[in-house]
Amino acid sequence: MRQSVGTTLSLIVIAATFSQTAFAQAPSRRPKNPPLPAQPAGPSSMAPLNQPVDIPPPPTVNDPMLAPVPAAKNNVGSWEQALEMVRARSTDLRSAYAQVKAAEAQSRISLSGALPTLTGQGFLTYNFLTKDVPTVTGFNPANGQVTTTTFTSPTQGPFVNGSLTAAVPIIAPRTWYSVGTAHRAEDVARLSVEDIKRQIALNVASTLIAVVTQERVVEINRIGFRSALERLELTQRRKALGAATGLDVVRAQQDVESSRATLVTGDEDLRKARESLGLALGVAEPIGVQQSISLNGIEKSAQQACHPANGIEDRADIAAARARVIQTERGIGDANWGYSPTLTAQSTLAATSVDTNQQNPTWNIQAVLTVPFYDGGTRDGQRRLAYAQTDQAEQSLINARRNAEIEVVQARRAVVVATDSRKVAADARQLAAENDRLTRAQYIEGEGTSLELVTAAAALRNADVTLALRDFDLVRARVVSLLALANCPF
């Protein structure tokens, strides 16, 4: 009778440990196990290890931590929706567009120096300090009398003076040259926007993949935690019937607490992943992902949003660095053109409300030639500064090319490494599952210990989590390899 009871309890233990493997292999939600008929007690009820065994359902367990992590208030349903949120809320992207507008405004300022100008001035004057000045206005020879008139100087007023001046640059080499330099600055700003788009696409894809992966890891953690609770419940029942020791119960409790600690850490990692996704999409709140999103779907969407570049030189950041070199080189030419003279034609129309007994209004046309003989060394300093800035831009371009070449090589190699790591993790998971099965089988026959049973179950849980993480690494490596040499015109 004792042997019959012990065999029945062993089968119950197998039910609990077997349920862990079944749940860990489940792709999404925990399946509901239908009740199975119990095996009759006795040695004859044992089936061969390679044959399926009818086992009773696992015991019912309850723990507050079995409840899943609450879903985020807002969830992303597709890659396109994520890009729409980025376009609307990304501060980096808006700042880059602002830089483009600033460069366009500076270009318009430079162009204004080569266009005609029209300036008007008006003055309303009232003089408080005046003096009466007698002035001889006539002489009568007959009587020798002199006629005088008193004038107030300056005119007390109020009186109005006005002028209108038009100026047209005829020869202005430096001004014309600066217009081209400003256009180069616009090119740099636009290319910088394209590079920021590529970086944003990589960040969004990485955070989306991280959330999807962490959702899977959390699910695996809860399946393992439930299985650990079921094993503890069955071990406590065995101890009550005299088929297990207090050490077996302690080991099962240790396994439960280890699973609980893993569950707490995994839940927090999921919350952080959602918060990182929210920041990547431009909102200060956690953003989740809908169950319809898959890792492979994110990779395909990234391939559609970004197209491969022809080479390193076509990547946006390298093109921007190269355009920056051209812009700084033009700074040298701008400083050299500072030694050139300028010729401007201008015309002024002036009028006053004071009666001066002179032509009023007046109109003139002038040609103004300006020759910069000496300015105290300003132009020489500007030229030295331009040479230094050009050298800095050239070194930045060289450094950017080196980094880009290594980045592309590492990104492509990372795909191979991630593929191999994923295969290793899959093989390790298969071995862990087989080890768990054999350990349970030995435990039925009384050859194994509860320590081996708990250790095998923990190893299987870790292998499941590792495999999920390797899936994340593989998809992320593919996305990084795609975006390492691509442009994203979204």
Side-chain angles (χ1 to χ4, degrees):
M1 181 63 182
R2 181 180 299 274
Q3 182 181 4
S4 175
V5 173
T7 303
T8 303
L9 292 174
S10 298
L11 289 175
I12 296 176
V13 173
I14 292 304
T17 54
F18 179 80
S19 65
Q20 173 197 356
T21 305
F23 292 143
Q25 293 176 343
S28 59
R29 297 179 179 176
R30 174 184 173 89
K32 295 182 179 179
N33 295 327
L36 300 177
Q39 280 287 92
S44 61
S45 64
M46 292 295 300
L49 295 180
N50 58 354
Q51 296 295 329
V53 179
D54 292 334
I55 56 177
T60 302
V61 293
N62 187 20
D63 191 281
M65 295 191 66
L66 288 174
V69 179
K73 294 182 180 179
N74 298 317
N75 294 278
V76 176
S78 64
W79 170 268
E80 291 73 17
Q81 182 182 358
L83 291 185
E84 288 179 2
M85 296 181 66
V86 167
R87 283 193 291 263
R89 298 179 175 88
S90 174
T91 56
D92 293 336
L93 190 59
R94 293 177 70 90
S95 297
Y97 280 127
Q99 290 292 335
V100 173
K101 293 181 180 179
E104 292 174 348
Q106 187 61 45
S107 179
R108 186 62 183 85
I109 293 173
S110 299
L111 179 62
S112 65
L115 299 178
T117 60
L118 182 63
T119 305
Q121 289 184 316
F123 303 92
L124 176 63
T125 307
Y126 182 88
N127 293 309
F128 292 96
L129 299 179
T130 60
K131 181 179 180 180
D132 294 335
V133 180
T135 303
V136 177
T137 58
F139 175 74
N140 189 352
N143 55 16
Q145 292 182 349
V146 177
T147 305
T148 61
T149 303
T150 301
F151 293 94
T152 302
S153 179
T155 304
Q156 188 174 29
F159 59 91
V160 178
N161 293 335
S163 65
L164 190 64
T165 302
V168 180
I170 298 176
I171 299 177
R174 188 177 188 180
T175 301
W176 298 336
Y177 191 82
S178 65
V179 175
T181 303
H183 290 326
R184 300 300 183 279
E186 290 184 48
D187 296 338
V188 173
R190 293 191 181 98
L191 290 171
S192 298
V193 170
E194 297 304 317
D195 182 56
I196 289 177
K197 287 182 178 180
R198 183 183 69 88
Q199 296 176 11
I200 289 176
L202 177 58
N203 187 30
V204 170
S206 298
T207 51
L208 278 174
I209 295 171
V211 173
V212 173
T213 302
Q214 201 58 44
E215 293 275 6
R216 174 59 178 157
V217 170
V218 167
E219 182 181 4
I220 293 173
N221 290 341
R222 271 180 172 72
I223 293 174
F225 181 57
R226 177 179 290 275
S227 298
L229 290 174
E230 292 170 352
R231 273 194 306 276
L232 175 60
E233 177 68 19
L234 290 171
T235 304
Q236 290 173 343
R237 292 182 185 179
R238 285 185 51 136
K239 183 177 181 298
L241 296 175
T245 65
L247 180 59
D248 295 331
V249 175
V250 170
R251 287 169 178 169
Q253 289 175 337
Q254 287 179 328
D255 187 40
V256 169
E257 296 308 317
S258 177
S259 300
R260 191 188 302 274
T262 302
L263 191 63
V264 171
T265 303
D267 290 352
E268 178 61 16
D269 290 341
L270 174 58
R271 297 186 191 97
K272 289 182 178 179
R274 289 174 175 176
E275 291 167 352
S276 297
L277 178 58
L279 292 177
L281 299 181
V283 294
E285 62 182 29
I287 299 293
V289 294
Q290 297 180 2
Q291 293 184 356
S292 58
I293 293 183
S294 64
L295 294 180
N296 293 331
I298 295 174
E299 180 182 357
K300 292 180 181 179
S301 299
Q303 291 176 349
Q304 296 174 356
C306 303
H307 56 79
N310 296 327
I312 292 294
E313 296 299 321
D314 290 339
R315 214 172 76 164
D317 58 336
I318 304 300
R322 190 169 58 249
R324 193 171 292 108
V325 171
I326 298 174
Q327 177 191 357
T328 53
E329 287 176 345
R330 291 185 64 88
I332 300 174
D334 182 78
N336 292 332
W337 281 113
Y339 292 93
S340 63
T342 60
L343 179 63
T344 304
Q346 67 181 31
S347 177
T348 303
L349 175 65
T352 180
S353 61
V354 179
D355 185 6
T356 60
N357 296 324
Q358 298 178 357
Q359 174 60 37
N360 187 26
T362 59
W363 182 29
N364 61 61
I365 298 178
Q366 296 175 327
V368 181
L369 177 64
T370 304
V371 181
F373 290 107
Y374 182 71
D375 61 358
T378 300
R379 288 167 295 184
D380 183 65
Q382 291 175 345
R383 184 170 58 179
R384 293 182 182 181
L385 178 61
Y387 274 113
Q389 291 175 341
T390 300
D391 186 59
Q392 289 177 345
E394 290 175 348
Q395 298 307 314
S396 297
L397 175 59
I398 294 173
N399 186 57
R401 282 173 175 161
R402 291 173 181 171
N403 292 335
E405 290 174 357
I406 295 299
E407 181 182 346
V408 171
V409 171
Q410 290 180 345
R412 291 173 177 173
R413 187 172 66 241
V415 176
V416 179
V417 174
T419 302
D420 294 340
S421 298
R422 200 269 175 196
K423 183 178 181 302
V424 171
D427 294 341
R429 196 270 170 200
Q430 184 177 1
L431 292 174
E434 180 66 10
N435 179 49
D436 181 66
R437 187 185 70 83
L438 294 176
T439 302
R440 288 184 282 111
Q442 289 182 349
Y443 192 70
I444 292 177
E445 298 175 351
E447 298 179 1
T449 64
S450 60
L451 177 60
E452 294 173 345
L453 187 68
V454 170
T455 301
L460 180 57
R461 286 199 306 269
N462 293 334
D464 285 329
V465 173
T466 301
L467 181 58
L469 294 177
R470 294 296 83 82
D471 287 335
F472 159 74
D473 292 340
L474 178 56
V475 176
R476 186 181 186 280
R478 289 174 179 171
V479 173
V480 171
S481 178
L482 167 68
L483 299 182
L485 196 61
N487 294 316
C488 303
F490 60 83

PDB file of all heavy atoms in Angstrom, residues 72 129 181 201 303 346 348:
ATOM      1  N   ALA A  72      -0.392  49.049 -20.654  1.00  0.00           N
ATOM      2  CA  ALA A  72      -0.203  50.495 -20.747  1.00  0.00           C
ATOM      3  C   ALA A  72      -1.477  51.162 -21.258  1.00  0.00           C
ATOM      4  O   ALA A  72      -2.284  50.546 -21.973  1.00  0.00           O
ATOM      5  CB  ALA A  72       0.968  50.810 -21.671  1.00  0.00           C
ATOM      6  N   LEU A 129      17.422 126.579 -27.954  1.00  0.00           N
ATOM      7  CA  LEU A 129      18.442 127.622 -27.825  1.00  0.00           C
ATOM      8  C   LEU A 129      18.652 128.282 -29.182  1.00  0.00           C
ATOM      9  O   LEU A 129      19.163 127.655 -30.116  1.00  0.00           O
ATOM     10  CB  LEU A 129      19.758 127.022 -27.304  1.00  0.00           C
ATOM     11  CG  LEU A 129      19.678 126.357 -25.917  1.00  0.00           C
ATOM     12  CD1 LEU A 129      21.043 125.784 -25.532  1.00  0.00           C
ATOM     13  CD2 LEU A 129      19.201 127.341 -24.865  1.00  0.00           C
ATOM     14  N   THR A 181      27.989  80.708 -49.798  1.00  0.00           N
ATOM     15  CA  THR A 181      28.342  80.069 -48.526  1.00  0.00           C
ATOM     16  C   THR A 181      27.102  79.760 -47.701  1.00  0.00           C
ATOM     17  O   THR A 181      27.001  78.702 -47.068  1.00  0.00           O
ATOM     18  CB  THR A 181      29.286  80.985 -47.737  1.00  0.00           C
ATOM     19  OG1 THR A 181      30.440  81.281 -48.533  1.00  0.00           O
ATOM     20  CG2 THR A 181      29.724  80.323 -46.447  1.00  0.00           C
ATOM     21  N   ALA A 201      14.812  56.345 -36.403  1.00  0.00           N
ATOM     22  CA  ALA A 201      14.262  55.066 -36.848  1.00  0.00           C
ATOM     23  C   ALA A 201      14.923  53.904 -36.111  1.00  0.00           C
ATOM     24  O   ALA A 201      14.250  52.953 -35.691  1.00  0.00           O
ATOM     25  CB  ALA A 201      14.449  54.914 -38.354  1.00  0.00           C
ATOM     26  N   GLN A 303      12.516  47.904 -43.024  1.00  0.00           N
ATOM     27  CA  GLN A 303      13.042  47.780 -44.378  1.00  0.00           C
ATOM     28  C   GLN A 303      12.230  48.604 -45.368  1.00  0.00           C
ATOM     29  O   GLN A 303      12.788  49.139 -46.337  1.00  0.00           O
ATOM     30  CB  GLN A 303      13.034  46.301 -44.796  1.00  0.00           C
ATOM     31  CG  GLN A 303      14.038  45.448 -44.037  1.00  0.00           C
ATOM     32  CD  GLN A 303      13.944  43.980 -44.408  1.00  0.00           C
ATOM     33  OE1 GLN A 303      12.992  43.556 -45.079  1.00  0.00           O
ATOM     34  NE2 GLN A 303      14.904  43.194 -43.964  1.00  0.00           N
ATOM     35  N   GLN A 346      24.228 105.248 -55.487  1.00  0.00           N
ATOM     36  CA  GLN A 346      23.128 105.636 -54.612  1.00  0.00           C
ATOM     37  C   GLN A 346      22.579 106.986 -55.018  1.00  0.00           C
ATOM     38  O   GLN A 346      23.277 107.814 -55.604  1.00  0.00           O
ATOM     39  CB  GLN A 346      23.577 105.656 -53.156  1.00  0.00           C
ATOM     40  CG  GLN A 346      24.591 106.719 -52.812  1.00  0.00           C
ATOM     41  CD  GLN A 346      25.006 106.654 -51.345  1.00  0.00           C
ATOM     42  OE1 GLN A 346      25.030 105.597 -50.745  1.00  0.00           O
ATOM     43  NE2 GLN A 346      25.333 107.816 -50.788  1.00  0.00           N
ATOM     44  N   THR A 348      19.858 110.204 -53.553  1.00  0.00           N
ATOM     45  CA  THR A 348      19.180 110.732 -52.372  1.00  0.00           C
ATOM     46  C   THR A 348      18.271 111.886 -52.769  1.00  0.00           C
ATOM     47  O   THR A 348      18.701 112.817 -53.466  1.00  0.00           O
ATOM     48  CB  THR A 348      20.199 111.205 -51.327  1.00  0.00           C
ATOM     49  OG1 THR A 348      21.062 110.132 -50.985  1.00  0.00           O
ATOM     50  CG2 THR A 348      19.493 111.718 -50.082  1.00  0.00           C
TER      51      THR A 348
END
